[in-house]
């Protein structure tokens, strides 16, 4: 796995975009991501759809490498940490968390995060409707922001469609950045890409396994 970075400034704060579907906020030593959807693969298997076990493990391995790369002290998950009902993937995640005893994990609750508070307590997760640390507000779904604060959200699984010669087309995940918001790509590799809902005047930072670039 190769971690490629792009440094940008948001509201005078240094933020690092990565090609691994997460950003790092230097001031807070916080790794920030959205839409992991833990439990999605087990949910599909429970309903008779043969999804490989390795998808979740690959996502968790990427997350581990990012935490170690930045030596992150905080992990802000901007919604949809989980996907469906409590299932075997939650036990996998709980075991994975044991290697990060000093990591502070905050979940900004998303529309899929319907698990009990007892489970969240058991995992040591602080759950919030939104998190405000100036100059940012973290929330799951993008919103029309008339405030002076800058919103960081997820939910829409943003992507871009790049057209080549003839009928050649390529879809890539991306970050969408405007003057008052940043929309994160879905962290999980087991998600689709929404290439239609691009905010007005947004800059898109698309990425591949080996690069990240502004469109």
């Amino acid at each position: 796995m190769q971690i490629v970075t792009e440094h940008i400034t948001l509201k005078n704060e240094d933020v690092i975009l990565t090609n691994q579907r997460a950003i790092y906020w230097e001031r807070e030593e916080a790794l920030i991501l959205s839409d992991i959807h833990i439990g999605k693969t087990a949910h599909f298997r429970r309903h008779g759809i043969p999804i490989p076990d390795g998808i979740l493990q690959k996502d968790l391995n990427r997350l581990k490498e990012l935490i170690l790369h930045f030596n992150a002290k905080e992990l802000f998950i901007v919604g949809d940490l989980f996907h469906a009902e409590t299932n075997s993937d939650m036990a996998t995640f709980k075991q994975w968390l044991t290697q990060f005893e000093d990591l502070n994990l905050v979940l900004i609750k998303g529309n899929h995060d319907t698990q009990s508070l007892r489970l969240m307590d058991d995992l040591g997760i602080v759950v919030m409707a939104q998190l405000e640390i100036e100059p940012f507000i973290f929330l799951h779904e993008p919103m029309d922001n008339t405030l002076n604060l800058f919103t960081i959200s997820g939910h829409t699984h943003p992507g871009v469609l790049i057209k080549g010669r003839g009928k050649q087309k390529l879809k890539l995940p991306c970050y969408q950045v405007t003057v008052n918001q940043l929309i994160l790509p879905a962290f999980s590799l087991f998600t689709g890409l929404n290439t239609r809902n691009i905010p007005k005047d947004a800059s898109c930072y698309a990425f591949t396994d080996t690069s990240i670039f502004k469109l």
Side-chain angles (χ1 to χ4, degrees):
M1 168 181 144
Q2 183 178 357
I3 299 175
V4 182
T5 61
E6 177 78 15
H7 291 247
I8 64 173
T9 301
L10 304 174
K11 293 291 185 179
N12 297 318
E13 291 290 334
D14 293 324
V15 175
I16 303 173
L17 311 182
T18 78
N19 69 326
Q20 296 299 330
R21 302 172 178 244
I23 67 176
Y24 184 68
W25 184 9
E26 293 184 307
R27 191 189 84 191
E28 295 295 317
E29 299 181 287
L31 189 67
I32 304 161
L33 55 140
S34 183
D35 298 279
I36 305 180
H37 290 281
I38 293 170
K40 187 175 183 178
T41 53
H43 174 78
F44 275 76
R45 288 195 298 271
R46 179 179 290 182
H47 290 83
I49 301 173
I51 303 298
D53 290 337
I55 292 174
L56 173 60
Q57 197 58 55
K58 189 173 183 178
D59 283 341
L60 293 178
N61 286 343
R62 288 171 42 241
L63 182 53
K64 176 181 178 179
E65 290 299 317
L66 284 163
I67 293 169
L68 295 177
H69 177 82
F70 291 108
N71 193 24
K73 303 297 189 296
E74 307 268 359
L75 181 60
F76 298 161
I77 299 175
V78 191
D80 289 354
L81 169 60
F82 298 117
H83 179 77
E85 71 285 340
T86 301
N87 57 42
S88 59
D89 283 351
M90 281 63 169
T92 300
F93 181 58
K94 181 179 180 179
Q95 178 59 39
W96 178 89
L97 277 175
T98 59
Q99 64 192 307
F100 299 110
E101 294 182 359
D102 297 327
L103 183 68
N104 182 36
L105 201 162
V106 177
L107 170 63
I108 292 86
K109 191 173 182 179
N111 55 299
H112 281 279
D113 295 313
T114 58
Q115 289 70 30
S116 68
L117 289 178
R118 180 179 298 177
L119 173 65
M120 302 298 186
D121 288 342
D122 185 45
L123 294 171
I125 299 171
V126 177
V127 182
M128 310 177 76
Q130 68 179 42
L131 172 64
E132 181 175 334
I133 306 176
E134 291 189 4
F136 301 138
I137 293 180
F138 300 91
L139 65 170
H140 181 54
E141 298 189 29
M143 61 176 287
D144 292 329
N145 183 10
T146 59
L147 304 175
N148 189 40
L149 296 175
F150 188 100
T151 63
I152 296 178
S153 59
H155 182 60
T156 61
H157 303 187
V160 291
L161 181 64
I162 300 174
K163 296 181 180 180
R165 293 183 177 179
K167 295 184 178 180
Q168 294 181 335
K169 296 179 181 179
L170 177 64
K171 284 185 177 182
L172 293 175
C174 73
Y175 302 89
Q176 294 172 340
V177 183
T178 71
V179 295
N180 60 10
Q181 70 173 332
L182 182 151
I183 302 176
L184 295 157
F187 185 79
S188 176
L189 300 176
F190 188 36
T191 55
L193 292 176
N194 178 358
T195 61
R196 295 184 178 182
N197 298 332
I198 300 176
K200 183 180 179 180
D201 299 324
S203 296
C204 295
Y205 291 83
F207 51 87
T208 68
D209 289 341
T210 58
S211 65
I212 182 168
F213 50 93
K214 183 179 180 181
L215 296 173

